[in-house]
Short mmCIF file of all heavy atoms in Angstrom, two decimals:
data_model
loop_
_atom_site.label_atom_id
_atom_site.label_comp_id
_atom_site.label_asym_id
_atom_site.label_seq_id
_atom_site.Cartn_x
_atom_site.Cartn_y
_atom_site.Cartn_z
N ARG X 1030 6.29 -16.70 -20.62
CA ARG X 1030 5.75 -15.38 -20.10
C ARG X 1030 4.42 -15.61 -19.46
O ARG X 1030 4.07 -15.10 -18.40
CB ARG X 1030 5.72 -14.31 -21.35
CG ARG X 1030 5.04 -13.02 -20.87
CD ARG X 1030 5.12 -12.05 -22.04
NE ARG X 1030 4.40 -12.58 -23.20
CZ ARG X 1030 4.76 -12.35 -24.52
NH1 ARG X 1030 5.81 -11.60 -24.77
NH2 ARG X 1030 4.05 -12.84 -25.46
N ALA X 1031 3.50 -16.33 -20.19
CA ALA X 1031 2.21 -16.58 -19.78
C ALA X 1031 2.14 -17.35 -18.53
O ALA X 1031 1.47 -17.10 -17.49
CB ALA X 1031 1.40 -17.34 -20.84
N ARG X 1032 3.08 -18.45 -18.40
CA ARG X 1032 3.12 -19.31 -17.09
C ARG X 1032 3.68 -18.54 -15.98
O ARG X 1032 2.97 -18.44 -14.87
CB ARG X 1032 3.98 -20.40 -17.49
CG ARG X 1032 3.65 -21.64 -16.65
CD ARG X 1032 4.32 -22.96 -17.11
NE ARG X 1032 5.76 -22.87 -17.10
CZ ARG X 1032 6.55 -22.88 -18.10
NH1 ARG X 1032 6.04 -22.87 -19.31
NH2 ARG X 1032 7.91 -22.77 -17.97
N PHE X 1033 4.70 -17.77 -16.16
CA PHE X 1033 5.30 -17.01 -14.99
C PHE X 1033 4.36 -15.98 -14.51
O PHE X 1033 4.11 -15.79 -13.33
CB PHE X 1033 6.65 -16.34 -15.38
CG PHE X 1033 7.76 -17.28 -15.74
CD1 PHE X 1033 8.96 -16.79 -16.31
CD2 PHE X 1033 7.67 -18.56 -15.40
CE1 PHE X 1033 9.96 -17.68 -16.63
CE2 PHE X 1033 8.73 -19.51 -15.66
CZ PHE X 1033 9.91 -19.05 -16.28
N SER X 1034 3.73 -15.20 -15.49
CA SER X 1034 2.95 -14.09 -15.02
C SER X 1034 1.67 -14.66 -14.42
O SER X 1034 0.94 -14.03 -13.57
CB SER X 1034 2.70 -13.06 -16.17
OG SER X 1034 2.27 -13.86 -17.31
N ALA X 1035 1.22 -15.76 -14.79
CA ALA X 1035 -0.12 -16.41 -14.23
C ALA X 1035 0.18 -16.56 -12.74
O ALA X 1035 -0.79 -16.44 -11.94
CB ALA X 1035 -0.44 -17.68 -14.95
N VAL X 1036 1.35 -17.10 -12.39
CA VAL X 1036 1.59 -17.37 -10.93
C VAL X 1036 1.55 -16.06 -10.15
O VAL X 1036 0.95 -16.09 -9.09
CB VAL X 1036 2.98 -18.04 -10.86
CG1 VAL X 1036 3.35 -18.21 -9.35
CG2 VAL X 1036 3.09 -19.37 -11.53
N VAL X 1037 2.29 -15.05 -10.72
CA VAL X 1037 2.26 -13.71 -10.10
C VAL X 1037 0.77 -13.15 -9.99
O VAL X 1037 0.35 -12.61 -8.89
CB VAL X 1037 3.13 -12.73 -10.72
CG1 VAL X 1037 3.12 -11.31 -10.07
CG2 VAL X 1037 4.49 -13.23 -10.77
N GLY X 1038 0.02 -13.32 -11.05
CA GLY X 1038 -1.33 -12.92 -11.09
C GLY X 1038 -2.18 -13.49 -9.97
O GLY X 1038 -3.04 -12.88 -9.42
N ILE X 1039 -1.97 -14.85 -9.78
CA ILE X 1039 -2.78 -15.57 -8.77
C ILE X 1039 -2.43 -15.01 -7.44
O ILE X 1039 -3.27 -14.82 -6.62
CB ILE X 1039 -2.51 -17.17 -8.85
CG1 ILE X 1039 -3.17 -17.59 -10.21
CG2 ILE X 1039 -3.17 -17.82 -7.79
CD1 ILE X 1039 -2.79 -19.02 -10.59
N LEU X 1040 -1.15 -14.86 -7.13
CA LEU X 1040 -0.68 -14.36 -5.83
C LEU X 1040 -1.26 -13.04 -5.48
O LEU X 1040 -1.61 -12.68 -4.41
CB LEU X 1040 0.87 -14.22 -5.80
CG LEU X 1040 1.64 -15.64 -5.86
CD1 LEU X 1040 3.12 -15.47 -5.84
CD2 LEU X 1040 1.19 -16.46 -4.53
N GLY X 1041 -1.39 -12.06 -6.67
CA GLY X 1041 -1.93 -10.72 -6.43
C GLY X 1041 -3.36 -10.87 -6.05
O GLY X 1041 -3.79 -10.13 -5.20
N MET X 1042 -4.09 -11.83 -6.69
CA MET X 1042 -5.52 -11.96 -6.35
C MET X 1042 -5.68 -12.39 -5.04
O MET X 1042 -6.80 -12.00 -4.36
CB MET X 1042 -6.14 -12.96 -7.40
CG MET X 1042 -7.53 -13.22 -7.16
SD MET X 1042 -8.27 -14.72 -8.00
CE MET X 1042 -7.40 -15.99 -7.38
N LEU X 1043 -4.84 -13.24 -4.45
CA LEU X 1043 -4.94 -13.75 -3.12
C LEU X 1043 -4.98 -12.61 -2.09
O LEU X 1043 -5.50 -12.67 -0.99
CB LEU X 1043 -3.86 -14.72 -2.70
CG LEU X 1043 -3.92 -16.01 -3.59
CD1 LEU X 1043 -2.88 -17.10 -3.09
CD2 LEU X 1043 -5.35 -16.74 -3.33
N LEU X 1044 -4.36 -11.41 -2.44
CA LEU X 1044 -4.38 -10.22 -1.55
C LEU X 1044 -5.58 -9.51 -1.48
O LEU X 1044 -5.82 -8.69 -0.55
CB LEU X 1044 -3.13 -9.32 -1.88
CG LEU X 1044 -1.77 -9.88 -1.58
CD1 LEU X 1044 -0.72 -8.89 -2.20
CD2 LEU X 1044 -1.60 -9.97 -0.08
N VAL X 1045 -6.41 -9.63 -2.50
CA VAL X 1045 -7.61 -8.79 -2.64
C VAL X 1045 -8.59 -8.99 -1.37
O VAL X 1045 -9.02 -7.99 -0.85
CB VAL X 1045 -8.36 -8.97 -3.90
CG1 VAL X 1045 -9.72 -8.39 -4.07
CG2 VAL X 1045 -7.51 -8.50 -5.14
N PRO X 1046 -8.90 -10.23 -0.99
CA PRO X 1046 -9.75 -10.29 0.10
C PRO X 1046 -9.25 -9.72 1.38
O PRO X 1046 -9.88 -9.20 2.32
CB PRO X 1046 -10.03 -11.82 0.35
CG PRO X 1046 -9.38 -12.46 -0.75
CD PRO X 1046 -8.62 -11.49 -1.57
N PHE X 1047 -7.93 -9.74 1.53
CA PHE X 1047 -7.18 -9.18 2.68
C PHE X 1047 -7.40 -7.60 2.77
O PHE X 1047 -7.58 -7.04 3.73
CB PHE X 1047 -5.73 -9.54 2.76
CG PHE X 1047 -5.50 -10.96 3.22
CD1 PHE X 1047 -5.21 -11.90 2.34
CD2 PHE X 1047 -5.59 -11.37 4.50
CE1 PHE X 1047 -5.03 -13.27 2.64
CE2 PHE X 1047 -5.40 -12.71 4.91
CZ PHE X 1047 -5.13 -13.53 3.96
N ILE X 1048 -7.33 -7.07 1.51
CA ILE X 1048 -7.56 -5.64 1.43
C ILE X 1048 -8.92 -5.23 1.97
O ILE X 1048 -9.15 -4.35 2.76
CB ILE X 1048 -7.24 -5.07 0.00
CG1 ILE X 1048 -5.79 -5.24 -0.29
CG2 ILE X 1048 -7.74 -3.56 -0.23
CD1 ILE X 1048 -5.41 -4.83 -1.73
N HIS X 1049 -9.89 -6.06 1.48
CA HIS X 1049 -11.33 -5.74 1.89
C HIS X 1049 -11.62 -5.91 3.28
O HIS X 1049 -12.21 -5.09 4.04
CB HIS X 1049 -12.28 -6.69 0.96
CG HIS X 1049 -13.73 -6.40 1.32
ND1 HIS X 1049 -14.30 -5.16 0.95
CD2 HIS X 1049 -14.67 -7.06 1.91
CE1 HIS X 1049 -15.57 -5.23 1.46
NE2 HIS X 1049 -15.82 -6.33 1.89
N LEU X 1050 -11.00 -6.93 3.87
CA LEU X 1050 -11.22 -7.28 5.20
C LEU X 1050 -10.29 -6.64 6.29
O LEU X 1050 -10.46 -6.77 7.49
CB LEU X 1050 -11.12 -8.90 5.50
CG LEU X 1050 -12.05 -9.62 4.69
CD1 LEU X 1050 -11.87 -11.08 4.89
CD2 LEU X 1050 -13.59 -9.35 5.15
N SER X 1051 -9.35 -5.99 5.67
CA SER X 1051 -8.24 -5.41 6.59
C SER X 1051 -8.83 -4.43 7.59
O SER X 1051 -8.23 -4.33 8.75
CB SER X 1051 -7.10 -4.64 5.82
OG SER X 1051 -7.69 -3.76 4.98
N VAL X 1052 -9.81 -3.78 7.24
CA VAL X 1052 -10.47 -2.72 8.20
C VAL X 1052 -11.10 -3.37 9.31
O VAL X 1052 -11.46 -2.85 10.42
CB VAL X 1052 -11.46 -1.80 7.44
CG1 VAL X 1052 -10.82 -0.79 6.68
CG2 VAL X 1052 -12.48 -2.57 6.66
N TYR X 1053 -11.47 -4.83 9.23
CA TYR X 1053 -12.04 -5.41 10.31
C TYR X 1053 -10.97 -6.22 11.06
O TYR X 1053 -11.05 -6.34 12.28
CB TYR X 1053 -13.02 -6.56 9.73
CG TYR X 1053 -14.18 -5.99 9.05
CD1 TYR X 1053 -14.43 -6.28 7.68
CD2 TYR X 1053 -15.25 -5.34 9.71
CE1 TYR X 1053 -15.55 -5.78 7.07
CE2 TYR X 1053 -16.31 -4.88 9.04
CZ TYR X 1053 -16.42 -5.04 7.73
OH TYR X 1053 -17.61 -4.63 7.06
N LEU X 1054 -9.93 -6.63 10.46
CA LEU X 1054 -8.86 -7.39 11.02
C LEU X 1054 -7.87 -6.55 11.88
O LEU X 1054 -7.18 -7.14 12.73
CB LEU X 1054 -8.06 -8.25 10.04
CG LEU X 1054 -8.90 -9.38 9.19
CD1 LEU X 1054 -8.09 -9.93 8.03
CD2 LEU X 1054 -9.44 -10.36 10.04
N PHE X 1055 -7.63 -5.30 11.41
CA PHE X 1055 -6.58 -4.54 12.07
C PHE X 1055 -7.13 -3.20 12.52
O PHE X 1055 -8.18 -2.72 11.96
CB PHE X 1055 -5.37 -4.24 11.07
CG PHE X 1055 -4.85 -5.47 10.48
CD1 PHE X 1055 -5.17 -5.98 9.18
CD2 PHE X 1055 -3.97 -6.25 11.16
CE1 PHE X 1055 -4.65 -7.12 8.64
CE2 PHE X 1055 -3.38 -7.41 10.67
CZ PHE X 1055 -3.73 -7.83 9.39
N ARG X 1056 -6.40 -2.53 13.49
CA ARG X 1056 -6.79 -1.17 13.82
C ARG X 1056 -6.37 -0.30 12.74
O ARG X 1056 -5.16 -0.32 12.27
CB ARG X 1056 -6.12 -0.80 15.15
CG ARG X 1056 -6.71 -1.44 16.33
CD ARG X 1056 -6.03 -1.03 17.62
NE ARG X 1056 -6.08 0.40 17.80
CZ ARG X 1056 -5.45 1.02 18.65
NH1 ARG X 1056 -4.65 0.38 19.63
NH2 ARG X 1056 -5.41 2.35 18.90
N THR X 1057 -7.33 0.58 12.34
CA THR X 1057 -6.96 1.47 11.08
C THR X 1057 -7.66 2.76 11.07
O THR X 1057 -8.78 2.73 11.67
CB THR X 1057 -7.39 0.54 9.75
OG1 THR X 1057 -7.20 1.45 8.65
CG2 THR X 1057 -8.71 -0.12 9.78
N LEU X 1058 -7.13 3.69 10.47
CA LEU X 1058 -7.86 5.04 10.22
C LEU X 1058 -8.84 4.94 9.20
O LEU X 1058 -9.91 5.66 9.15
CB LEU X 1058 -6.81 5.97 9.85
CG LEU X 1058 -5.98 6.89 10.97
CD1 LEU X 1058 -4.99 7.84 10.27
CD2 LEU X 1058 -7.06 7.63 11.87
N HIS X 1059 -8.66 3.99 8.19
CA HIS X 1059 -9.56 3.93 7.15
C HIS X 1059 -11.01 3.47 7.50
O HIS X 1059 -11.17 2.46 8.47
CB HIS X 1059 -9.01 2.82 6.18
CG HIS X 1059 -9.64 2.98 4.77
ND1 HIS X 1059 -10.83 2.57 4.50
CD2 HIS X 1059 -9.14 3.50 3.63
CE1 HIS X 1059 -11.18 2.84 3.21
NE2 HIS X 1059 -10.06 3.37 2.62
N PRO X 1060 -11.98 4.12 7.02
CA PRO X 1060 -13.41 3.71 7.47
C PRO X 1060 -13.68 2.42 7.01
O PRO X 1060 -13.23 1.88 5.96
CB PRO X 1060 -14.25 4.79 6.80
CG PRO X 1060 -13.43 5.44 5.78
CD PRO X 1060 -12.02 5.34 6.16
N GLN X 1061 -14.72 1.78 7.77
CA GLN X 1061 -15.24 0.49 7.41
C GLN X 1061 -16.15 0.46 6.15
O GLN X 1061 -16.72 1.56 5.88
CB GLN X 1061 -15.97 -0.09 8.60
CG GLN X 1061 -14.98 -0.43 9.74
CD GLN X 1061 -15.33 -1.44 10.70
OE1 GLN X 1061 -16.55 -1.85 10.68
NE2 GLN X 1061 -14.53 -1.91 11.47
N PRO X 1062 -16.38 -0.57 5.49
CA PRO X 1062 -17.33 -0.48 4.42
C PRO X 1062 -18.74 0.07 4.64
O PRO X 1062 -19.15 -0.22 5.82
CB PRO X 1062 -17.42 -1.95 3.87
CG PRO X 1062 -16.16 -2.51 4.41
CD PRO X 1062 -15.89 -1.92 5.69
N ILE X 1063 -19.31 0.89 3.83
CA ILE X 1063 -20.62 1.34 4.24
C ILE X 1063 -21.66 0.78 3.09
O ILE X 1063 -22.86 0.90 3.26
CB ILE X 1063 -20.77 2.86 4.12
CG1 ILE X 1063 -20.08 3.43 2.93
CG2 ILE X 1063 -20.17 3.45 5.40
CD1 ILE X 1063 -20.26 4.91 2.76
N VAL X 1064 -21.24 0.12 2.08
CA VAL X 1064 -22.14 -0.58 1.08
C VAL X 1064 -21.87 -2.03 1.07
O VAL X 1064 -22.77 -2.84 1.35
CB VAL X 1064 -21.88 0.07 -0.36
CG1 VAL X 1064 -22.72 -0.64 -1.35
CG2 VAL X 1064 -22.06 1.56 -0.33
N LEU X 1065 -20.61 -2.49 0.82
CA LEU X 1065 -20.33 -3.96 0.72
C LEU X 1065 -20.15 -4.35 2.12
O LEU X 1065 -19.01 -4.61 2.63
CB LEU X 1065 -19.18 -4.29 -0.12
CG LEU X 1065 -19.43 -4.05 -1.69
CD1 LEU X 1065 -18.10 -4.27 -2.43
CD2 LEU X 1065 -20.54 -4.96 -2.18
N LYS X 1066 -21.20 -4.65 2.91
CA LYS X 1066 -21.12 -5.12 4.33
C LYS X 1066 -22.34 -5.91 4.55
O LYS X 1066 -23.32 -5.93 3.85
CB LYS X 1066 -21.03 -3.99 5.22
CG LYS X 1066 -22.24 -3.04 5.14
CD LYS X 1066 -22.28 -1.90 6.23
CE LYS X 1066 -23.50 -1.11 6.16
NZ LYS X 1066 -23.67 -0.37 7.35
N PRO X 1067 -22.16 -6.74 5.68
CA PRO X 1067 -23.44 -7.75 5.96
C PRO X 1067 -24.71 -7.07 6.13
O PRO X 1067 -25.73 -7.49 5.60
CB PRO X 1067 -23.02 -8.39 7.28
CG PRO X 1067 -21.55 -8.26 7.29
CD PRO X 1067 -21.08 -6.92 6.75
N SER X 1068 -24.86 -5.80 6.78
CA SER X 1068 -26.16 -5.11 6.87
C SER X 1068 -26.30 -4.24 5.64
O SER X 1068 -25.56 -4.02 4.78
CB SER X 1068 -26.15 -4.40 8.19
OG SER X 1068 -25.09 -3.54 8.30
N ALA X 1069 -27.58 -3.50 5.75
CA ALA X 1069 -27.90 -2.63 4.59
C ALA X 1069 -26.95 -1.47 4.57
O ALA X 1069 -26.32 -0.97 5.47
CB ALA X 1069 -29.35 -2.19 4.84
N PRO X 1070 -26.77 -0.94 3.25
CA PRO X 1070 -25.88 0.25 3.05
C PRO X 1070 -26.29 1.47 3.94
O PRO X 1070 -27.56 1.63 4.16
CB PRO X 1070 -26.07 0.69 1.62
CG PRO X 1070 -26.55 -0.55 0.96
CD PRO X 1070 -27.33 -1.22 1.98
N SER X 1071 -25.35 2.17 4.61
CA SER X 1071 -25.82 3.22 5.63
C SER X 1071 -25.27 4.61 4.91
O SER X 1071 -24.42 5.14 5.34
CB SER X 1071 -24.96 3.04 6.81
OG SER X 1071 -23.61 2.72 6.65
N LEU X 1072 -26.14 4.90 3.85
CA LEU X 1072 -25.95 6.20 3.11
C LEU X 1072 -27.28 6.71 2.79
O LEU X 1072 -28.20 6.07 2.52
CB LEU X 1072 -25.27 5.94 1.79
CG LEU X 1072 -23.70 5.79 1.78
CD1 LEU X 1072 -23.32 5.69 0.26
CD2 LEU X 1072 -23.11 7.33 2.19
N PRO X 1073 -27.38 8.27 2.76
CA PRO X 1073 -28.60 8.79 2.38
C PRO X 1073 -28.84 8.37 0.91
O PRO X 1073 -27.86 8.11 0.12
CB PRO X 1073 -28.33 10.27 2.47
CG PRO X 1073 -27.06 10.43 3.38
CD PRO X 1073 -26.38 9.13 3.28
N PRO X 1074 -30.13 8.43 0.47
CA PRO X 1074 -30.40 7.89 -0.99
C PRO X 1074 -29.73 8.53 -2.03
O PRO X 1074 -29.21 8.02 -3.02
CB PRO X 1074 -31.94 8.02 -1.11
CG PRO X 1074 -32.31 8.51 0.22
CD PRO X 1074 -31.35 8.68 1.17
N GLU X 1075 -29.49 9.96 -1.95
CA GLU X 1075 -28.87 10.69 -3.00
C GLU X 1075 -27.36 10.23 -3.13
O GLU X 1075 -26.86 10.09 -4.14
CB GLU X 1075 -28.78 12.22 -2.77
CG GLU X 1075 -30.22 12.81 -2.51
CD GLU X 1075 -30.61 12.92 -1.11
OE1 GLU X 1075 -30.19 12.06 -0.30
OE2 GLU X 1075 -31.49 13.75 -0.84
N MET X 1076 -26.70 10.01 -1.99
CA MET X 1076 -25.39 9.59 -2.00
C MET X 1076 -25.13 8.22 -2.53
O MET X 1076 -24.26 7.92 -3.28
CB MET X 1076 -24.72 9.60 -0.54
CG MET X 1076 -24.56 11.09 -0.12
SD MET X 1076 -23.72 10.95 1.56
CE MET X 1076 -23.45 12.68 1.94
N LEU X 1077 -26.15 7.24 -2.11
CA LEU X 1077 -26.02 5.92 -2.57
C LEU X 1077 -26.28 5.87 -4.10
O LEU X 1077 -25.64 5.12 -4.82
CB LEU X 1077 -27.08 5.07 -1.73
CG LEU X 1077 -27.11 3.58 -2.11
CD1 LEU X 1077 -25.71 3.04 -1.67
CD2 LEU X 1077 -28.18 2.87 -1.39
N THR X 1078 -27.29 6.64 -4.57
CA THR X 1078 -27.69 6.60 -6.06
C THR X 1078 -26.30 7.04 -6.81
O THR X 1078 -25.91 6.40 -7.78
CB THR X 1078 -28.74 7.51 -6.29
OG1 THR X 1078 -29.78 7.12 -5.51
CG2 THR X 1078 -29.22 7.47 -7.80
N THR X 1079 -25.76 8.13 -6.39
CA THR X 1079 -24.56 8.73 -7.14
C THR X 1079 -23.46 7.69 -7.10
O THR X 1079 -22.74 7.46 -8.05
CB THR X 1079 -24.05 10.06 -6.44
OG1 THR X 1079 -25.36 10.88 -6.45
CG2 THR X 1079 -23.06 10.70 -7.32
N LEU X 1080 -23.28 7.03 -5.97
CA LEU X 1080 -22.23 6.06 -5.81
C LEU X 1080 -22.39 4.87 -6.71
O LEU X 1080 -21.48 4.48 -7.42
CB LEU X 1080 -22.06 5.56 -4.32
CG LEU X 1080 -20.96 4.47 -4.11
CD1 LEU X 1080 -19.64 5.03 -4.29
CD2 LEU X 1080 -21.13 3.91 -2.73
N LEU X 1081 -23.66 4.45 -6.86
CA LEU X 1081 -23.97 3.26 -7.69
C LEU X 1081 -23.83 3.65 -9.16
O LEU X 1081 -23.24 2.89 -10.00
CB LEU X 1081 -25.31 2.78 -7.37
CG LEU X 1081 -25.57 2.12 -6.00
CD1 LEU X 1081 -27.02 1.62 -5.82
CD2 LEU X 1081 -24.57 0.94 -5.77
N VAL X 1082 -24.22 4.88 -9.45
CA VAL X 1082 -24.04 5.36 -10.90
C VAL X 1082 -22.57 5.42 -11.26
O VAL X 1082 -22.13 4.91 -12.30
CB VAL X 1082 -24.78 6.66 -11.15
CG1 VAL X 1082 -24.38 7.22 -12.54
CG2 VAL X 1082 -26.30 6.56 -11.11
#
Side-chain angles (χ1 to χ4, degrees):
Chain X
R1030 178 175 58 213
R1032 206 169 61 247
F1033 293 168
S1034 52
V1036 174
V1037 179
I1039 292 167
L1040 292 175
M1042 178 190 66
L1043 293 179
L1044 286 172
V1045 170
F1047 285 101
I1048 293 177
H1049 182 67
L1050 296 173
S1051 57
V1052 287
Y1053 297 113
L1054 298 172
F1055 305 99
R1056 284 181 59 185
T1057 171
L1058 271 178
H1059 197 283
Q1061 297 205 342
I1063 49 174
V1064 178
L1065 290 177
K1066 58 175 188 166
S1068 54
S1071 44
L1072 270 180
E1075 300 92 337
M1076 290 185 175
L1077 186 61
T1078 305
T1079 306
L1080 178 68
L1081 292 178
V1082 170

